[in-house]
Amino acid sequence: MHLTLTVATVRDRTVQAAVRKVIEPIFEREFAEHSYGFRPGRGCKDALRVVDRLLKGEYRYVVDADLKSYFDTIPQDRLMARVAERVVDRRVLALIESFLKQGVMEGTKSWTNEEGTPQGAVISPLLANIYLNPLDHEMASKRYMMIRYADDLVILTRSRHEAERALQELQRWTQEAGLKLHPEKTHIVDMGQEGAGFDFLGYRFFRTGRGKILHRPREKSLTKYKDAVRMRTKRNNGQSLEQIITEVNLVTRGWFEYYKHSNRTTFKTLDAWVRSRLRSILRKRRHRQGPARGADHQRWPNRFFAERGLFSMVEAHEIACQSARR
């Protein structure tokens, strides 16, 4: 497998940061209210809260859209034209254009970018927002509730007809802008139907059989978390139990901080799974084969791990909920 890298020196990153600091306030004044990605004082949680509020209101239909390889496919000439609408200093424009055309390496090959913004470049998120800003305002002018975080966006409507019309408008705009919607990942979701759901910013929004709208970590997020824990809880891990718990806690605390607004049943299941992994390590140290079993739960009860400092997402979630109610 070859790794694709954008060639950016420390000097390049410093200059990009300086340029961004200068031009960001110019464009920030014009960015739409429902754009949340990589903007001062805004973040993922703000976007998620708005989506949750709309779903629990009168907005039943969701256009779940996926911009295919957005950062890699932005037409550089059109992007520079939009930047030039507000930035007149030719030296600054020349610098930005040089950032876009940085060298790229894949394995032993190298070339110059002709489209897209360099991945990992300091200024790329701002440029990506600039290019989609006209879409934000067009959707707002037509009273569509579009919530966007960088290239991750959803449009919420009250009726199926509105959703279909919004999707048509989105398809037209992206085509004219030289972008593409992923045909298999872009669709309309009726959140009034039991079991319906969609992913947004790492969360899975879904309707239960009782008609409630809940959210939990999406499957990819759960898999990524479990893979990180598995790496630290292999049965042949030679570290002390305390050290293993310390490393697991680092992973779990960080993951929980982002996903603490999930349905509480998520955390009960994951806490039990983590303890099972730790019991399996202790079982092997007693020269027993296989994963943890029934008797191991009595030998090493939940209290045993709590006394050794294992972070409990269930307890942390209860504390977070109590704080929110105050």
Side-chain angles (χ1 to χ4, degrees), residues 187-234:
H187 56 283
I188 295 173
V189 180
D190 179 1
M191 290 297 288
Q193 299 293 319
E194 179 182 342
F198 65 96
D199 295 337
F200 184 58
L201 296 179
Y203 274 86
R204 177 74 176 175
F205 288 84
F206 64 100
R207 179 171 287 276
T208 69
R210 296 183 178 180
K212 290 186 177 181
I213 297 291
L214 299 177
H215 41 277
R216 61 174 180 248
R218 67 174 186 167
E219 287 303 316
K220 285 185 178 179
S221 302
L222 285 170
T223 298
K224 187 175 180 180
Y225 167 71
K226 286 189 171 184
D227 286 346
V229 172
R230 283 191 183 99
M231 287 180 59
R232 293 159 176 80
T233 56
K234 294 179 179 179

Side-chain angles (χ1 to χ4, degrees), residues 95-109:
L95 274 174
I96 295 173
E97 189 165 14
S98 71
F99 299 152
L100 292 175
K101 297 188 180 299
Q102 286 177 342
V104 175
M105 292 185 64
E106 183 174 6
T108 58
K109 299 179 181 179

Side-chain angles (χ1 to χ4, degrees), residues 256 267 271 306 310-322:
F256 174 80
F267 307 119
D271 275 356
L310 181 65
F311 178 76
S312 168
M313 287 188 273
V314 169
E315 292 181 5
H317 183 253
E318 290 177 355
I319 293 172
C321 289
Q322 290 172 2

